[in-house]
Amino acid sequence: MVTSFQIPAYFTAIFIITRLMSMIKISSKPFDVHHKDIKALDIGDKLSVEPSAIGAASLDFGHIVKAVPLAVLHPSTPQDIAALIKLGYYSSVPLGIAAKGHGHSLRGQAMANNGVVVDMKSMKKNRNGTGIRVSSDGLYADVGGEQLWIDVLNKTLEHGLTPVSWTDYLYLTVGGTLSNAGISGQTFRYGPQISNVLEMDVITGKADFMTCSPKKNSELFYAVLGGLGQFGIITRARIPLQPAPIRVKWVRVLYSDFSAFTRDQELLISRNGREDKNALDYLEGSLLMDQGSPDNWRSSFFPHSDHPKIISLITKHRIIYCLEVVKHYDDQTKNTVDKEMKMILQGLSYMPGFMFQKDVGYGEFLNRVRAGELKLESQGLWEVPHPWLNLFIPKSQISDFNNGVFRGIVLERNITTGPVLVYPMNRQKWDDRMSAVTPDEEIFYAVGFLHSSGFNDWKLLKIKTWK
Ligand SMILES: Cc1cc2nc3c(=O)[nH]c(=O)nc-3n(C[C@H](O)[C@H](O)[C@H](O)COP(=O)(O)OP(=O)(O)OC[C@H]3O[C@@H](n4cnc5c(N)ncnc54)[C@H](O)[C@@H]3O)c2cc1C
């Protein structure tokens, strides 16, 4: 049936369609529509069945799930993506299509078993450097869904501006994090990244191009935010900007008592007004356990000379809780920032003598995880299975979680090797209309177990941890 079409110029398209048809038994009428669309939009040469492209689209950062697509689309324009979606929409049997940003999902969220993966980063080539545009009034940036946050940071800093809400790691795409939530130490104050979007261009499941915002096509807008790519493909997001600080004061303090640790975290995030001078700009927390060094791949923070005293503290208490905070400053505030930080930390219950601080550039702070990635990569330890687990725990349960999981499982079973994050955020900074789901309490905690494993033992780690 396919060979009866006389379109030799679209050989690749025919080849793909042949494969798709054999898999999904497209009826003749809808197939006519697909054929016309493909012919009109010429995506045939952008569909790849090369083993290298299929192989890359079958894996992600998790290295746990494998799903093999029929083909990979390397789009140059949003129209290419729409042509593919039309093909899927009019087929009699649904065709799975998944947008893939930087592929840093953990469990195949950007895969399409027997479907087509849209390799969003191909769009970058065609943007000719126009993928990130800062508005003339400096209030926002229009950013392609395929752009990496590190590039958004660098571009906006050129204008002395910055987005306000981040993830800990910046080599993730705008479309990828807006399809999840995008959380970090700024979330308590500014909300997740999905609370910091003014407008988006989306290609819907019917291949319509829609601009959406809280006022325009708002149902689509909120569905797409945190929607795991199930409500449309983001091709542009308008991100609000504010003046960028120049440097940051970065402080870590240590606790042996979990309730003192969470009480202080919750006190600090209660000061969360956007204009509040007493508010921190970033707050996270983590566990320190017996891993040989108080630093881990995500950060090397503590002065080497202080390692012995921190290690002996860990040996004594088995788990130490580390509160991490940041205050930004610029030329106007450089003379007052130390005093402000002192005031903010006054009255907290951390252990005397266990306060550590650094002073680094704003960009260096935001890009802090990159150095660890490059180090692991050079050791061949980055492309390994990541049986990570990220959870939201309501405030009312966090103490039980500490006793039952941190102490009862992680410590008792000696699973102390990976970074474990624990930090609170305010639900008022989220929006219930968005697809992302949060616990039903005003304060809830993000807990992240960020373990790496070998290719043969990730299941063991999972069972060891959670069974
Ligand atoms: C080292 C590391 C650190 C991380 N740190 C954080 C952190 O601090 N905070 C945090 O919130 N997350 C963090 N993450 C998780 C990360 O935010 C998500 O995995 C995110 O989805 C990755 O972005 P990506 O571009 O790789 O997306 P992908 O994995 O490619 O895609 C993720 C999902 O988004 C969809 N998608 C991708 N692009 C689009 C688009 N343009 N339109 C619509 N849907 C799309 C995909 O179909 C998929 O469902 C981290 C991940 C890693 C690997």
Side-chain angles (χ1 to χ4, degrees):
M1 187 174 162
V2 171
T3 48
S4 68
F5 289 102
Q6 301 301 310
I7 47 169
Y10 298 94
F11 175 78
T12 318
I14 293 170
F15 179 57
I16 299 301
I17 292 164
T18 311
R19 293 200 60 193
L20 291 176
M21 284 190 67
S22 68
M23 298 300 299
I24 62 177
K25 299 186 180 64
I26 300 170
S27 68
S28 61
K29 187 163 177 287
F31 183 68
D32 288 344
V33 177
H34 305 156
H35 169 238
K36 269 189 250 147
D37 287 339
I38 287 202
K39 191 169 173 183
L41 295 164
D42 192 14
I43 60 167
D45 58 351
K46 292 167 186 165
L47 281 162
S48 173
V49 290
E50 288 295 318
S52 59
I54 298 286
S58 310
L59 293 173
D60 61 18
F61 182 78
H63 283 282
I64 286 170
V65 171
K66 183 171 182 181
V68 182
L70 291 175
V72 178
L73 177 70
H74 298 288
S76 306
T77 62
Q79 283 73 15
D80 293 340
I81 302 172
L84 175 73
I85 293 178
K86 241 179 215 166
L87 179 78
Y89 182 67
Y90 288 107
S91 70
S92 53
V93 176
L95 168 66
I97 295 173
K100 178 174 180 176
H102 211 216
H104 278 49
S105 291
L106 299 168
R107 289 182 174 267
Q109 288 90 337
M111 294 180 195
N113 200 32
N114 285 335
V116 181
V117 169
V118 180
D119 175 27
M120 294 300 292
K121 65 180 186 298
S122 305
M123 299 264 290
K124 271 177 112 170
K125 293 179 199 135
N126 212 43
R127 298 267 197 195
N128 295 324
T130 61
I132 304 165
R133 274 172 290 130
V134 174
S135 65
S136 53
D137 58 11
L139 292 178
Y140 60 81
D142 278 319
V143 180
E146 75 288 348
Q147 300 292 321
L148 293 176
W149 281 104
I150 181 69
D151 296 327
V152 177
L153 174 66
N154 289 333
K155 185 75 187 179
T156 54
L157 283 183
E158 282 172 19
H159 298 256
L161 299 166
T162 178
V164 294
S165 184
W166 294 97
T167 47
D168 293 348
Y169 171 69
L170 305 184
Y171 290 74
L172 307 168
T173 64
V174 169
T177 69
L178 295 185
S179 299
N180 282 273
I183 58 164
S184 184
Q186 299 85 8
T187 307
F188 79 92
R189 185 155 178 211
Y190 296 102
Q193 290 184 322
I194 51 175
S195 292
N196 290 279
V197 184
L198 301 173
E199 181 182 285
M200 285 181 290
D201 287 341
V202 171
I203 308 173
T204 70
K206 290 183 178 177
D208 293 328
F209 290 88
M210 308 267 275
T211 297
C212 57
S213 71
K215 295 227 166 95
K216 188 176 179 185
N217 300 312
S218 60
E219 213 180 345
L220 176 67
F221 180 74
Y222 291 115
V224 166
L225 293 170
L228 278 177
Q230 301 302 300
F231 298 95
I233 295 188
I234 304 163
T235 55
R236 175 186 65 95
R238 180 165 286 182
I239 311 292
L241 302 176
Q242 70 174 28
I246 294 171
R247 296 186 68 80
V248 312
K249 294 284 175 189
W250 186 4
V251 172
R252 287 188 183 177
V253 290
L254 304 186
Y255 297 75
S256 58
D257 176 10
F258 186 71
S259 56
F261 167 69
T262 51
R263 198 173 49 243
D264 283 356
Q265 282 192 322
E266 288 169 21
L267 171 73
L268 294 172
I269 70 157
S270 69
R271 301 173 199 144
N272 58 46
R274 279 190 167 234
E275 307 303 328
D276 187 345
K277 291 251 178 294
N278 294 318
L280 288 160
D281 293 300
Y282 165 101
L283 178 145
E284 285 199 2
S286 56
L287 306 190
L288 299 183
M289 291 174 290
D290 185 11
Q291 340 181 313
S293 165
D295 288 327
N296 60 49
W297 69 266
R298 288 179 80 259
S299 77
S300 74
F301 183 92
F302 298 106
H304 269 284
S305 54
D306 288 319
H307 280 204
K309 79 170 185 180
I310 299 173
I311 290 170
S312 61
L313 195 70
I314 297 170
T315 308
K316 182 171 170 204
H317 296 280
R318 300 187 68 207
I319 299 189
I320 290 296
Y321 306 97
C322 174
L323 171 61
E324 176 177 58
V325 298
V326 158
K327 187 99 185 128
H328 298 160
Y329 70 94
D330 55 23
D331 285 340
Q332 274 77 54
T333 50
K334 68 180 176 202
N335 295 326
T336 52
V337 64
D338 283 327
K339 199 167 151 207
E340 281 171 12
M341 185 62 113
K342 205 170 160 197
M343 297 267 291
I344 290 172
L345 298 180
Q346 222 167 40
L348 299 187
S349 312
Y350 57 87
M351 286 183 289
F354 289 94
M355 193 234 252
F356 307 88
Q357 51 185 318
K358 270 188 170 186
D359 184 320
V360 300
Y362 175 66
E364 184 189 340
F365 168 71
L366 288 179
N367 200 19
R368 62 199 174 279
V369 176
R370 177 65 166 173
E373 172 193 356
L374 294 176
K375 190 167 171 206
L376 288 183
E377 207 169 37
S378 70
Q379 298 166 340
L381 295 173
W382 185 247
E383 294 295 333
V384 297
H386 296 102
W388 288 9
L389 181 66
N390 288 294
L391 302 166
F392 286 154
I393 309 289
K395 168 185 156 149
S396 62
Q397 308 291 313
I398 196 69
S399 173
D400 289 348
F401 196 88
N402 175 54
N403 292 329
V405 180
F406 294 153
R407 293 197 167 274
I409 299 177
V410 175
L411 256 197
E412 286 318 308
R413 301 193 186 185
N414 202 23
I415 314 160
T416 56
T417 50
V420 180
L421 305 182
V422 50
Y423 59 94
M425 47 194 77
N426 300 302
R427 190 159 176 256
Q428 49 163 296
K429 305 283 179 178
W430 296 62
D431 190 320
D432 279 345
R433 291 169 292 183
M434 301 183 302
S435 290
V437 178
T438 61
D440 206 9
E441 285 184 20
E442 180 41 36
I443 292 175
F444 60 90
Y445 281 76
V447 175
F449 295 91
L450 311 181
H451 292 75
S452 306
S453 75
F455 280 89
N456 298 321
D457 61 356
W458 66 265
K459 278 188 188 153
L460 190 74
L461 185 67
K462 186 167 166 262
I463 292 162
K464 215 173 154 191
T465 315
W466 303 115
K467 204 174 170 185

